[in-house]
Amino acid sequence: PVETLFIGGGTPSLMSADFYHQLFESLGKHLDLSRLHEITLEANPGTLEQGRFRAFREAGINRLSIGVQSFNDTQLNRLGRIHDGRESREAIETAQKAGFDRINLDLMHGLPGQSVEDAVNDLRTALTFNTGHISWYQLTLEPNTAFYSRPPELPDESVLADIQIAGEETLREAGLQRYEVSAWSQPDQQCLHNLNYWEFGDYLALGAGAHGKVTQPEAHSIWRYHKTRQPQAYLQRIGSRTSSRQHLPEEDRPLEFMLNALRLEEGVPEALFSRRTGLPLDRIAEILENLRHRGLIQRTSPPRLVTTRMGSRYLNDVLEPFVP
């Protein structure tokens, strides 16, 4: 049974509510949706889309993820966003009036020329809406982007560290808990779909550019695959439209599992490692013991795979021993 749907990538909120009615009806003919608890839609704050929020709610979508990024107009302009801070505020208010009680706000920090005060002001503005979930992540320069080819001047490491400390304090004072490296929420507002990712669960890929992961326990195999990226090519392809399919070899599974699970503030039960990877925990026992000795992974009862505070801060160092 399918438990969550996440409609993301590009601007899915440009589609009509009638489109989503048809989509969910069609999915129900092929998949068991009886345990479907969460349907998230990514939405941009542009005014064109706000009038659709109530219709989205009526179509069955029960969670919105709004790409605010910043409430500072200067920063939004630097990021190349087409909306401004006022439109973001209006979009959040419109979504709440439309009946959405589960809303995530995406915010970036470490933006070009951003001060600690600027970053904290963004968070304080977001917190006034009491949406219950904030994704707060540092800007990274990804290949094949304008920023990557012409890098802006970003805050230095000391400023980034001060932003991190001040931001975390602001979020905690507001009653939000960090449950994943970049995700903060009230206790009942965690994103179930993303939790499945971090717990190394399976997910299906539907639509141009979508990525999926499927485990076949009887064959002791794990497959990753992704769909044709360009929409026009996706529409013209015949059959599954899968552009690549990759088997995850056993030697790569410990790193892939830890790369996800250790992002969670509370980690995962030790037993989940074997259930998700098909490998015995003994396979990584020596590495785990060494990390515990170095104070990077905690000893817990019942046993869990979870970092210490220091391990969370230096997560790359924790993951390095798992690299094949």
Side-chain angles (χ1 to χ4, degrees), residues 3-310:
E3 296 181 356
T4 64
L5 292 177
F6 195 104
I7 305 160
T11 51
S13 52
L14 286 174
M15 306 302 287
S16 69
D18 184 58
F19 167 84
Y20 288 113
H21 274 293
Q22 293 182 54
L23 174 64
F24 302 149
E25 183 180 346
S26 296
L27 287 176
K29 294 176 182 177
H30 301 278
L31 300 167
D32 179 1
L33 304 182
S34 62
R35 284 165 49 186
L36 183 58
H37 302 304
E38 178 185 275
I39 304 177
T40 300
L41 178 76
E42 287 190 340
N44 283 340
T47 54
L48 174 66
E49 303 166 29
Q50 293 181 29
R52 305 178 184 213
F53 286 170
R54 188 174 297 279
F56 289 152
R57 187 71 189 89
E58 292 170 354
I61 295 164
N62 57 14
R63 186 175 183 273
L64 283 182
S65 183
I66 302 178
V68 173
Q69 314 310 346
S70 175
F71 291 95
N72 183 305
D73 290 349
T74 301
Q75 292 291 1
L76 289 169
N77 188 50
R78 288 172 178 166
L79 290 169
R81 302 289 168 168
I82 62 171
H83 67 274
D84 57 25
R86 176 186 57 81
E87 288 176 312
S88 290
R89 294 179 181 88
E90 289 178 354
I92 300 165
E93 291 171 351
T94 302
Q96 289 175 325
K97 290 176 182 175
F100 283 97
D101 54 10
R102 300 193 67 214
I103 299 173
N104 168 61
L105 303 182
D106 264 348
L107 288 175
M108 290 185 187
H109 62 90
L111 304 178
Q114 188 178 51
S115 67
V116 175
E117 184 181 6
D118 291 338
V120 170
N121 281 340
D122 267 346
L123 284 175
R124 286 178 176 154
T125 301
L127 289 166
T128 62
F129 295 99
N130 195 32
T131 59
H133 195 292
I134 291 178
S135 296
W136 190 59
Y137 48 93
Q138 185 179 322
L139 172 66
T140 55
L141 304 184
E142 299 289 350
N144 303 316
T145 64
F147 271 5
Y148 190 81
S149 57
R150 296 184 298 278
E153 186 172 343
L154 300 177
D156 62 33
E157 290 297 324
S158 63
V159 175
L160 289 174
D162 289 342
I163 287 175
Q164 189 77 33
I165 292 168
E168 289 179 3
E169 184 178 337
T170 300
L171 289 161
R172 286 196 180 96
E173 286 177 353
L176 297 188
Q177 300 171 356
R178 182 165 74 172
Y179 69 96
E180 185 269 335
V181 169
S182 303
W184 296 73
S185 79
Q186 294 171 358
D188 59 344
Q189 291 275 337
Q190 296 180 350
C191 178
L192 303 179
H193 188 87
N194 286 348
L195 279 174
N196 179 59
Y197 288 151
W198 309 138
E199 293 173 354
F200 208 52
D202 285 352
Y203 43 96
L204 301 178
L206 296 169
H211 286 246
K213 169 182 169 285
V214 173
T215 301
Q216 296 173 313
E218 67 285 349
H220 305 289
S221 62
I222 299 174
W223 292 90
R224 290 194 182 279
Y225 65 101
H226 72 266
K227 299 293 187 176
T228 304
R229 187 173 64 178
Q230 296 296 336
Q232 195 60 41
Y234 179 87
L235 291 170
Q236 292 172 350
R237 291 283 291 271
I238 298 173
S240 71
R241 298 174 173 82
T242 297
S243 64
S244 77
R245 191 167 180 260
Q246 181 183 19
H247 178 256
L248 188 62
E250 286 190 4
E251 60 267 24
D252 289 345
R253 294 179 195 177
L255 175 63
E256 291 257 359
F257 179 89
M258 293 298 181
L259 197 64
N260 289 279
L262 294 184
R263 290 181 64 92
L264 291 170
E265 191 82 351
E266 296 183 358
V268 297
E270 277 191 358
L272 191 66
F273 176 81
S274 295
R275 288 212 307 272
R276 293 287 196 247
T277 66
L279 304 174
L281 191 64
D282 290 349
R283 183 85 167 249
I284 58 170
E286 187 175 337
I287 296 175
L288 294 176
E289 188 57 35
N290 182 262
L291 290 171
R292 292 188 185 104
H293 181 72
R294 294 166 59 192
L296 298 175
I297 284 185
Q298 297 182 37
R299 296 183 187 276
T300 63
S301 181
R304 298 181 67 82
L305 298 171
V306 57
T307 61
T308 60
R309 184 176 292 275
M310 183 169 69

